Amino acid sequence: MTTTRAKARNVARTAPARSQARTKLRRRPVEKPETDALDPRRMDDDPVVRGILTAISQKRLKPGTKLGEDRLARALGTTRIHVRQALAHLASRKIVVQFPNRGAFVYRPTWEEAREMFAARRVIEAATVAAAIDRLDKQGKALLKAHMAREAADDRSDRWASLSLTADFHILIAELAGNHVLLDMARELMLRTSLAIATFEQPGEPDCSPDSHPDIGALVLARDKAAAIAAMTHHLADIERRIQPRDGEAQVDELTAIFKDLGVAVARHDG
Amino acid sequence: MTTTRAKARNVARTAPARSQARTKLRRRPVEKPETDALDPRRMDDDPVVRGILTAISQKRLKPGTKLGEDRLARALGTTRIHVRQALAHLASRKIVVQFPNRGAFVYRPTWEEAREMFAARRVIEAATVAAAIDRLDKQGKALLKAHMAREAADDRSDRWASLSLTADFHILIAELAGNHVLLDMARELMLRTSLAIATFEQPGEPDCSPDSHPDIGALVLARDKAAAIAAMTHHLADIERRIQPRDGEAQVDELTAIFKDLGVAVARHDG
DNA sequence: GCGCCGAAAATTGGCGCCAATCGATTGAAT
DNA sequence: ATTCAATCGATTGGCGCCAATTTTCGGCGC
């Protein structure tokens, strides 16, 4: 656990914060063993970035919705510059798009790009499955079994929890592969494919068919590399099959999303 | 007819004009053709980003060098906020690292991460070679032959030109694959591996053995997929073999301040 | 009634200033 | 003489204000 002392720097800016950090404690006790003194700034820990990311992964923010700076700043309780940095960071990651003088919007991939994302996922995750089988040890087996049990015990009562649970399976496979670079790529690709799915999904279809996960997990545990790769590839193709082009329309979703939350007060106008 | 549409020169209630810095001149004509309507902001086109990137790819900026905001702003002729946005963007791409209240530095990957980058490149570029062979057409053959001729005609008089030429081979293969997502990943991975090579290279070794490129190109032209993948994998392993750990020190100019704090001074603490 | 043209309001972009923090130098005490 | 500690200088971080541009709204003409 790397406890950064600048963790909640963004949220509690103007707050009094009299708890502990108000006084100048420049005397550094020597009980910081060896870990830090380097505290690289990770935008993933930013609360604004994290909030937008979770909102996207939970489909509360649909592709195409405008992300106004001032509105987000008020909603998240921060200032505008932090929202701006977060939006710039997400724009670098192709999660949002920024138009000059027009603002930032949740990224809406094209149909071709969605296809390419899935093709890239097939490449990456086939490699991660293979590497995970290669370096599978006792601890890895335990983690995989634990996750499979957790996924089997899911009753799908909470849709968001189930969604992140199925996503965690792919992440776990990539973690077991032991390659952080490939892990980051898999993470990024999963985020972007979730945007692609949200853009081109057909209503009523589940995002990720969870039935394939036990099979893939069993094949990984059995160290059957070729079959595991084939199962993972087939699984990803199965997810891809659930989206359809429908290129034309659906640029009014932000209004519907807003009015879905605010529409209750409008409905009873003439009570 | 409507030529002076967006003039609005009469500003009655604005503050007394203090405008003295008119450095940025808008070349925007008065007529507004509907060419843009969407003009997504691309940080890659930013001159600061481009400058730092080319400086890194040409090894004029070594890993670990400090990128001071004010210094860069003066060096590149811009203001500090542009440099700041560019550094944040490059930090998102893992090209630079930012430490809180300490500044930004050219990213120096660890030895393990360097190995992982090469492993990821083997995965990605094997896939791009395979896809390039699959969808190779007349135009692709022409492009590949043209590049091979260009690389064969290189006399290595200009080291930077040769360097970008050998890099363009891998980029061309990824372009021929037709997957923009994989292309971006290959580009990013090549940038970061150039940082890894710059960090761990042995003096006197060339970066990329260009002798393998004609073989790979010939195998692609012959549509021998398995052999091409093997050749590409072997080629990347060959590049990886030219770097060595040399974990300990770093003798770069301005980063002594960092490594004094990062590696040496923290380790010694009398109990 | 419909469409076009103008201005006001809202939002983004950019810059300067000030505070906060870190590194280095200098001073004093053991 | 060495080491610890406090001050000084330099750099980054953040915020408010203002300019530029887009969007929206009201007005006018057809």
Side-chain angles (χ1 to χ4, degrees):
Chain A
M1 169 196 281
T2 63
T3 68
T4 66
R5 59 184 176 277
K7 177 161 292 184
R9 157 173 40 85
N10 295 328
V11 278
R13 174 187 43 84
T14 55
R18 67 185 51 179
S19 57
Q20 78 282 8
R22 189 66 180 90
T23 62
K24 294 176 182 295
L25 48 105
R26 65 187 56 187
R27 186 180 60 186
R28 190 78 54 87
V30 290
E31 56 183 356
K32 60 178 167 67
E34 69 278 5
T35 61
D36 46 11
L38 77 158
D39 190 13
R41 166 158 312 175
R42 300 168 60 86
M43 263 299 189
D44 302 314
D45 300 336
D46 191 275
V48 183
V49 172
R50 190 164 287 271
I52 296 176
L53 248 45
T54 55
I56 285 178
S57 67
Q58 290 180 350
K59 307 245 179 122
R60 311 181 90 169
L61 270 179
K62 286 183 234 179
T65 52
K66 168 153 183 163
L67 299 172
E69 297 180 357
D70 212 344
R71 179 187 305 256
L72 272 179
R74 270 193 296 267
L76 292 168
T78 57
T79 51
R80 213 175 56 140
I81 193 165
H82 297 273
V83 174
R84 206 147 155 177
Q85 291 174 357
L87 289 177
H89 170 73
L90 293 173
S92 306
R93 292 171 64 180
K94 303 274 191 69
I95 307 293
V96 307
V97 202
Q98 280 182 311
F99 298 94
N101 292 101
R102 300 244 293 270
F105 303 83
V106 179
Y107 189 64
R108 170 192 295 269
T110 64
W111 173 249
E112 291 80 16
E113 195 176 2
R115 297 290 298 271
E116 290 172 357
M117 287 179 197
F118 277 102
R121 273 193 73 173
R122 279 195 293 270
V123 169
I124 299 283
E125 302 207 34
T128 55
V129 156
I133 290 177
D134 277 335
R135 66 195 319 272
L136 189 69
D137 55 352
K138 207 176 200 61
Q139 184 187 2
K141 281 187 179 179
L143 286 171
L144 186 51
K145 284 178 185 172
H147 179 84
M148 286 167 72
R150 211 175 309 133
E151 217 173 336
D154 181 39
D155 59 345
R156 286 167 185 72
S157 59
D158 188 356
R159 193 188 172 211
W160 295 335
S162 300
L163 215 147
S164 63
L165 197 61
T166 56
D168 283 342
F169 176 78
H170 294 259
I171 295 295
L172 177 62
I173 295 291
E175 282 175 350
L176 292 178
N179 190 324
H180 296 167
V181 179
L182 281 178
L183 172 62
D184 282 348
M185 288 183 173
R187 274 219 186 88
E188 217 62 18
L189 234 30
M190 287 185 59
L191 259 172
R192 291 172 64 184
T193 45
S194 83
L195 280 180
I197 290 172
T199 304
F200 297 108
E201 73 184 343
Q202 300 299 316
E205 296 269 5
D207 291 353
C208 187
S209 60
D211 307 323
S212 304
H213 289 178
D215 301 336
I216 301 172
L219 288 171
V220 169
L221 287 174
R223 291 180 172 276
D224 192 342
K225 201 189 287 186
I229 291 175
M232 177 63 88
T233 307
H234 186 77
H235 172 50
L236 290 173
D238 220 45
I239 304 173
E240 184 179 356
R241 207 168 292 125
R242 295 170 196 275
I243 62 173
Q244 296 295 329
R246 72 158 187 182
D247 44 7
E249 80 293 359
Q251 54 269 35
V252 290
D253 46 355
E254 62 163 316
L255 295 182
T256 61
I258 292 171
F259 277 98
K260 189 179 68 176
D261 289 336
L262 302 176
V264 188
V266 185
R268 285 186 56 88
H269 185 277
D270 55 351
Chain B
M1 321 197 309
T2 70
T3 56
T4 65
R5 179 182 173 184
K7 258 320 182 63
R9 76 250 176 138
N10 191 3
V11 278
R13 44 178 304 181
T14 50
R18 188 189 280 265
S19 66
Q20 82 283 0
R22 193 75 67 86
T23 58
K24 297 183 186 307
L25 52 130
R26 285 284 166 269
R27 65 180 189 276
R28 178 173 167 76
V30 284
E31 57 175 329
K32 187 166 72 174
E34 64 279 12
T35 63
D36 37 18
L38 68 155
D39 188 13
R41 166 163 310 177
R42 301 167 63 85
M43 261 301 190
D44 301 314
D45 300 338
D46 190 275
V48 182
V49 172
R50 190 164 286 271
I52 296 176
L53 247 46
T54 55
I56 284 178
S57 67
Q58 290 179 350
K59 307 234 178 137
R60 311 179 101 175
L61 270 180
K62 285 180 271 187
T65 52
K66 167 153 184 163
L67 300 172
E69 296 180 356
D70 213 345
R71 179 188 304 254
L72 271 180
R74 270 193 296 268
L76 291 168
T78 55
T79 50
R80 218 182 68 174
I81 192 162
H82 293 277
V83 173
R84 205 148 157 175
Q85 292 174 356
L87 290 177
H89 171 73
L90 293 173
S92 306
R93 291 172 65 179
K94 302 275 189 67
I95 307 293
V96 306
V97 202
Q98 281 182 310
F99 297 95
N101 292 99
R102 300 238 296 266
F105 303 84
V106 179
Y107 188 64
R108 170 190 294 268
T110 64
W111 174 248
E112 290 79 15
E113 195 176 1
R115 297 291 298 271
E116 290 172 356
M117 288 180 197
F118 277 103
R121 272 193 73 172
R122 279 194 292 271
V123 170
I124 300 283
E125 302 207 34
T128 55
V129 156
I133 290 176
D134 277 335
R135 65 194 320 274
L136 189 69
D137 56 351
K138 208 176 200 62
Q139 184 187 1
K141 281 187 181 179
L143 286 171
L144 186 52
K145 284 179 186 172
H147 180 84
M148 287 168 70
R150 212 175 308 134
E151 216 172 337
D154 181 40
D155 58 346
R156 286 168 185 71
S157 59
D158 187 357
R159 194 191 170 206
W160 295 337
S162 300
L163 214 147
S164 63
L165 197 60
T166 57
D168 282 342
F169 176 77
H170 294 259
I171 295 295
L172 177 61
I173 294 291
E175 281 174 350
L176 292 178
N179 191 325
H180 296 167
V181 178
L182 281 178
L183 172 61
D184 282 348
M185 287 183 172
R187 274 219 186 90
E188 218 62 19
L189 234 32
M190 287 185 59
L191 260 172
R192 292 172 64 186
T193 45
S194 83
L195 281 180
I197 291 171
T199 304
F200 297 107
E201 72 184 345
Q202 301 298 318
E205 296 268 4
D207 291 351
C208 184
S209 60
D211 307 324
S212 305
H213 288 179
D215 301 336
I216 301 173
L219 288 171
V220 169
L221 288 174
R223 290 179 171 277
D224 192 342
K225 200 189 287 186
I229 291 176
M232 177 63 88
T233 307
H234 186 78
H235 172 50
L236 290 173
D238 220 46
I239 304 173
E240 184 180 356
R241 206 169 294 125
R242 294 170 197 274
I243 62 173
Q244 296 294 330
R246 72 157 185 187
D247 46 5
E249 83 293 351
Q251 61 283 7
V252 204
D253 34 17
E254 281 145 323
L255 96 156
T256 57
I258 303 168
F259 271 77
K260 187 185 69 178
D261 193 2
L262 198 146
V264 188
V266 189
R268 296 299 289 170
H269 272 142
D270 55 350

